[in-house]
Amino acid sequence: MVDKQKLDSVKKHITIPKYFKKVIIPEMGDYYSDYTVNFEYKPVVKCPIHGEDTPSLRYYAETNTFYCFGCRAGGDVINLHRLFTEVITGSKPSFETAVEHLYKVFIQGKDLKEHTTLTKGRQINIIENSNSSLIRFNAYIKDLETKLLIDNSIEEYKKALIYNEVDNVIILVSLNTMNVDKAIYYIKEFIGGLK
């Protein structure tokens, strides 16, 4: 259940322009390189939820909400965070998780990159890979899978071993227990070891 105090604080203090400035623009700098995002001057930007060339996302300052006339996404900063996280990571956080994350990052000022938690009596490192590193990881996996499909020089049983190991690494990254850089390094080393 959502902590009402945290929810109220998130809704009151985190504007959509603040979220764009701290989260979206750093993650998608190239996407917005053709013009300056300035909601006070022009409350319409290219939507980060779907790719487009013409800005169609409108910000409404009086209600701190947005609506995209292209993909029809809309809502408050919490919904924007949930939708943007889904685009970047492929997984949409729950409402409660989104509120908690926004509260920690914007209200408490904790930019969590890596922290440790205690689970079932043992210590597990929880890695919070940045959105840009996850994009890079997904692109690497996609390129690798494409190469495996077209490369006839690799024996089928080796391809099966690689696919299996890649699936395991993807799970570790998605569970936030493996850093993206270490994951890519591990996959490269694994493939190199098969030759």
Side-chain angles (χ1 to χ4, degrees):
M1 184 164 198
V2 178
D3 181 319
K4 184 169 175 11
Q5 180 185 355
K6 289 181 180 179
L7 177 61
D8 291 344
S9 188
V10 164
K11 286 189 172 192
K12 182 178 180 182
H13 298 291
I14 306 172
T15 64
I16 288 173
K18 279 184 186 177
Y19 186 81
F20 260 83
K21 184 177 181 181
K22 186 163 183 157
V23 178
I24 294 175
I25 293 172
E27 293 296 334
M28 300 181 73
D30 292 341
Y31 185 62
Y32 295 102
S33 64
D34 54 345
Y35 66 92
T36 302
V37 175
N38 184 341
F39 286 100
E40 289 181 25
Y41 173 70
K42 187 176 181 183
V44 180
V45 297
K46 289 193 290 189
C47 179
I49 309 304
H50 77 284
E52 62 182 358
D53 295 323
T54 307
S56 64
L57 184 141
R58 173 104 162 71
Y59 167 61
Y60 300 93
E62 55 279 354
T63 58
N64 192 31
T65 57
F66 74 98
Y67 182 76
C68 177
F69 292 91
C71 68
R72 305 207 188 295
D76 60 10
V77 71
I78 299 165
N79 197 46
L80 178 60
H81 174 68
R82 293 179 73 212
L83 293 170
F84 184 66
T85 301
E86 182 178 25
V87 167
I88 297 298
T89 67
S91 176
K92 189 175 186 177
S94 69
F95 183 82
E96 293 82 6
T97 301
V99 170
E100 191 67 35
H101 177 79
L102 291 170
Y103 184 81
K104 284 179 181 174
V105 171
F106 285 87
I107 309 300
Q108 291 181 328
K110 293 182 182 176
D111 195 10
L112 304 174
K113 289 292 177 202
E114 186 170 337
H115 62 277
T116 304
T117 187
L118 198 62
T119 306
K120 295 183 183 174
R122 61 189 179 128
Q123 197 170 355
I124 298 174
N125 284 332
I126 303 296
I127 312 292
E128 287 200 20
N129 290 301
S130 70
N131 290 338
S132 59
S133 66
L134 289 169
I135 291 171
R136 186 168 43 84
F137 178 70
N138 288 334
Y140 172 77
I141 296 298
K142 183 178 178 184
D143 288 344
L144 176 62
E145 289 175 344
T146 301
K147 287 176 187 173
L148 288 173
L149 283 173
I150 60 174
D151 190 346
N152 293 325
S153 66
I154 301 174
E155 298 170 55
E156 289 302 314
Y157 85 94
K158 286 185 179 180
K159 284 184 181 182
L161 291 172
I162 293 169
Y163 281 123
N164 185 50
E165 203 62 27
V166 167
D167 286 345
N168 291 335
V169 171
I170 290 170
I171 290 169
L172 292 173
V173 169
S174 69
L175 292 173
N176 296 322
T177 56
M178 182 177 258
N179 176 285
V180 163
D181 294 325
K182 289 179 184 174
I184 293 172
Y185 176 79
Y186 176 81
I187 292 169
K188 287 178 180 178
E189 288 292 308
F190 181 82
I191 293 170
L194 288 177
K195 292 180 180 179

